[in-house]
Amino acid sequence: MLTVEDAKREGGIVSIRARVSGMRAACTSCGGVSARVHGRYVRRLKDAVVGGACVIIELVVRRFRCVSVTCPVKTFAEQVPGLTRPHARFTDALQQLLASIGMELAGRAGVRLAASLGLQVGRDTLLRRVRALPEQPIGHVRVLGVDDFATRKGHRYGTIMVDLETRRVVDMIDGRDGDSLAAWLREHSLPEVICRDRAGGYADGARQGAPDAVQVADRFHLWQNLGQAVEKNVATVRHDLAAVLAAAAAATCTAEPPPVMHHRELKVVTRLRRHHAAVHELLKQGLSKAAIGRELGLHPATVRKLANAAEVDTVIAMSQNRASILDGYHEHLHRRWNEGIRNAAQLTREITTFGYSGTEQQVQRYLRRFRTGAGQIAIPAPRPPSGRDITRWIMSNPDNLSSDDAGQLRTLRKRSRALNRLARHVQDFALMMTQLHGHQLDAWISAVEKDSFTALASFARNLRRDLNAVRNGLTLPHSSGPVEGQVNRVKMLKRQMFGRAKLDLLRKRTLRSA
């Protein structure tokens, strides 16, 4: 029992002098009880704030001699359960309070909150309290979710494990390769189901560490990869749409077109023509794409794009039909140019009233190509919506589209058979994914491979490499949604710690606050 000898308050500090009233104490090493007092000293402990005042406990501690001849300790200091620990300067109550503050707010923000509560501590002290918290048992995880997160984006990554049934983070390890995952699985009770993204490393690690577990490819990543493939195909379809819209506009126009000046070709177009001709010439000579890239100093992706295009006009159209901030204002600019208004500042002011949010320099760069002569320029035909907008309309649930977006998509699908087929492939995959009809996957892949969509066919072929996991993802109800949510929370904790998110500290905060 603790006996209070004196208590006083001076200058916002409450000092309490106390001692232990018992006559015996247990040895901290062997547990033997001793009553032989060797000496005494005063120990100062900081306690939680009371009434806005800092509390200091001056505890008279006795040092006892151990009565056991086999004990390696000759003397020991008595400890008060629930109040003191060896070498601690804070009481247990204050340590728990500081650990809670550090767990929720980390260092800097935790220091500010502690100061408002009357506690003067440093941020390193709070982080040490968090690191000192005991580990929680992992237990048996039946359905495990695995994903990577960045400790330093582009340089170092880790792997997070989530129990998908309880949605609790069970562990975080360094590295995102298959060997790290396999080693972790061997050290813990093996799960029955492993839900992961389509990374080959996690697939190999799960196969090595838990060969009997059912692997499930996450539907979110499947849908994301499908959207990337669709956007690439939409860029090609959009070129055909632009030609269809131009023909429709020419058919409805009855006025005699004005004489059109021949403006100079853009540098990017000239460069594409030269590179396209050079790539195809070297292909005829038998060089590989990698060798062509080294010969011409081009990126491998650029070489593939030029090599896959039979005609240079296709590549030029993809470059020219990119979305621009001036989309929607070209007709006004061309019409005013033909009326003799050539001042970029005035034209910028005019289109600003229509909603243009760009700068005058962008208008100047667009008009620069027409300043080589004084002739008129053709009024541009209506441009199709941007590729990103078309992709969004195709990939969205029709019930969630606005009436304007749904109407534009219907019009575009009527004008382009290719876009209509592409949208049907996406709809079939969406139904298969939402209704968990994984048995239809093989038929969907075969149908896509027979069509003319290069990027979508490549996506379908990649599904065959991980066919069982993909089919399980489209059949079983498991999803990595909770894992993605936990990764998002890890990012929040990293930002909160201002670069102090070393893996052991980040892991402790993530596991304890889950």
Side-chain angles (χ1 to χ4, degrees):
M1 180 180 294
L2 198 65
T3 301
V4 178
E5 296 180 340
D6 184 27
K8 58 182 179 179
R9 177 169 180 168
E10 294 180 357
I13 299 177
V14 175
S15 299
I16 300 175
R17 189 173 182 86
R19 62 179 178 85
V20 180
S21 59
M23 300 300 295
R24 295 177 174 82
C27 177
T28 56
S29 179
C30 66
V33 178
S34 173
R36 298 175 59 187
V37 178
H38 176 68
R40 292 176 176 82
Y41 66 95
V42 178
R43 183 176 180 181
R44 292 172 58 87
L45 297 168
K46 185 179 291 186
D47 199 7
V49 175
V50 174
C54 181
V55 177
I56 302 295
I57 298 177
E58 298 180 352
L59 179 65
V60 179
V61 179
R62 294 171 295 182
R63 180 170 288 278
F64 289 85
R65 291 184 180 274
C66 184
V67 296
S68 175
V69 294
T70 60
C71 182
V73 174
K74 300 303 180 182
T75 63
F76 64 90
E78 62 182 344
Q79 302 294 334
V80 181
L83 182 66
T84 65
R85 293 183 184 180
H87 311 294
R89 298 183 180 182
F90 301 141
T91 64
D92 285 357
L94 182 56
Q95 290 201 54
Q96 294 175 5
L97 176 61
L98 295 179
S100 299
I101 294 175
M103 182 64 65
E104 298 299 327
L105 299 177
R108 296 176 187 270
V111 167
R112 293 193 292 269
L113 176 61
S116 66
L117 297 176
L119 299 172
Q120 300 299 323
V121 294
R123 59 179 182 269
D124 290 333
T125 300
L126 291 177
L127 299 183
R128 282 197 297 269
R129 298 281 77 76
V130 173
R131 283 190 166 100
L133 291 172
E135 292 285 343
Q136 292 181 326
I138 294 178
H140 177 66
V141 180
R142 194 181 70 86
V143 183
L144 178 68
V146 178
D147 202 358
D148 65 320
F149 67 94
T151 53
R152 185 184 176 193
K153 191 172 182 179
H155 296 273
R156 294 191 61 185
Y157 289 85
T159 300
I160 185 171
M161 286 82 164
V162 178
D163 186 342
L164 294 181
E165 293 184 318
T166 62
R167 304 195 171 203
R168 180 178 65 89
V169 180
V170 295
D171 206 353
M172 297 169 67
I173 60 174
D174 190 16
R176 58 174 177 177
D177 56 292
D179 294 337
S180 301
L181 176 60
W184 186 91
L185 290 172
R186 295 190 191 102
E187 296 174 358
H188 300 83
S189 58
L190 298 181
E192 300 176 15
V193 179
I194 299 178
C195 194
R196 56 169 176 80
D197 59 18
R198 298 179 59 215
Y202 286 148
D204 294 338
R207 195 177 302 112
Q208 297 172 16
D212 297 331
V214 176
Q215 296 192 35
V216 177
D218 179 51
R219 290 187 292 275
F220 166 77
H221 292 93
L222 290 174
W223 189 251
Q224 184 183 50
N225 298 147
L226 175 65
Q228 294 168 351
V230 168
E231 187 171 3
K232 292 178 182 178
N233 287 126
V234 164
T236 305
V237 175
R238 187 171 178 269
H239 167 57
D240 299 332
L241 274 172
V244 171
L245 293 177
T252 57
C253 182
T254 58
E256 186 71 20
V260 179
M261 61 173 288
H262 298 285
H263 57 81
R264 61 184 178 183
E265 190 174 68
L266 293 178
K267 293 181 180 179
V268 64
V269 175
T270 305
R271 186 167 61 249
L272 285 174
R273 293 187 188 277
R274 184 175 68 253
H275 286 164
H276 182 272
V279 167
H280 281 266
E281 180 63 28
L282 293 176
L283 283 174
K284 292 178 181 179
Q285 298 176 13
L287 271 70
S288 66
K289 294 178 182 178
I292 293 174
R294 292 191 295 269
E295 178 72 20
L296 300 179
L298 299 177
H299 191 274
T302 304
V303 176
R304 288 195 299 270
K305 179 179 67 174
L306 295 173
N308 294 334
E311 301 291 337
V312 69
D313 292 339
T314 304
V315 183
I316 294 174
M318 292 175 63
S319 175
Q320 295 299 299
N321 287 331
R322 290 174 181 170
S324 168
I325 196 171
L326 284 170
D327 287 349
Y329 308 105
H330 293 109
E331 182 179 357
H332 179 83
L333 292 175
H334 287 213
R335 182 169 52 80
R336 295 291 286 160
W337 177 280
N338 292 338
E339 293 174 357
I341 306 301
R342 311 293 170 86
N343 186 280
Q346 179 178 345
L347 293 174
T348 303
R349 287 193 296 269
E350 291 180 2
I351 61 177
T352 300
T353 61
F354 301 143
Y356 173 68
S357 58
T359 63
E360 179 185 335
Q361 286 73 19
Q362 291 167 307
V363 177
Q364 288 177 348
R365 281 196 296 269
Y366 179 74
L367 296 177
R368 191 175 299 155
R369 73 188 77 172
F370 307 125
R371 296 191 181 278
T372 56
Q376 296 188 341
I377 56 178
I379 303 297
R383 299 187 67 181
S386 67
R388 183 162 295 181
D389 282 341
I390 297 176
T391 304
R392 177 174 58 83
W393 297 340
I394 294 176
M395 300 293 294
S396 298
N397 187 331
D399 297 335
N400 297 334
L401 288 177
S402 64
S403 58
D404 292 341
D405 292 345
Q408 289 190 67
L409 180 60
R410 284 194 299 269
T411 302
L412 294 176
R413 291 183 64 174
K414 291 178 181 178
R415 290 182 177 272
S416 173
R417 294 181 179 179
L419 184 63
N420 190 42
R421 296 199 315 274
L422 182 62
R424 285 181 180 176
H425 288 314
V426 174
Q427 289 175 354
D428 292 341
F429 192 92
L431 290 174
M432 181 170 53
M433 185 179 68
T434 55
Q435 298 179 7
L436 301 181
H437 292 167
H439 61 278
Q440 301 175 356
L441 178 61
D442 292 314
W444 185 87
I445 292 176
S446 299
V448 169
E449 288 178 336
K450 293 177 182 178
D451 213 326
S452 59
F453 301 114
T454 306
L456 197 62
S458 176
F459 166 75
R461 285 192 296 271
N462 286 332
L463 294 183
R464 292 190 185 276
R465 301 176 183 176
D466 200 16
L467 188 60
N468 291 332
V470 174
R471 187 184 290 113
N472 291 334
L474 299 176
T475 305
L476 301 177
H478 308 298
S479 172
S480 292
V483 185
E484 297 294 336
Q486 294 293 351
V487 171
N488 193 48
R489 190 165 66 89
V490 168
K491 294 178 182 179
M492 182 272 293
L493 294 176
K494 283 177 52 185
R495 290 192 294 268
Q496 193 182 62
M497 287 193 281
F498 292 94
R500 299 291 294 276
K502 196 174 179 180
L503 182 61
D504 65 324
L505 180 61
L506 182 63
R507 175 180 176 274
K508 189 62 68 71
R509 287 197 67 198
T510 303
L511 267 61
R512 298 283 302 196
S513 62

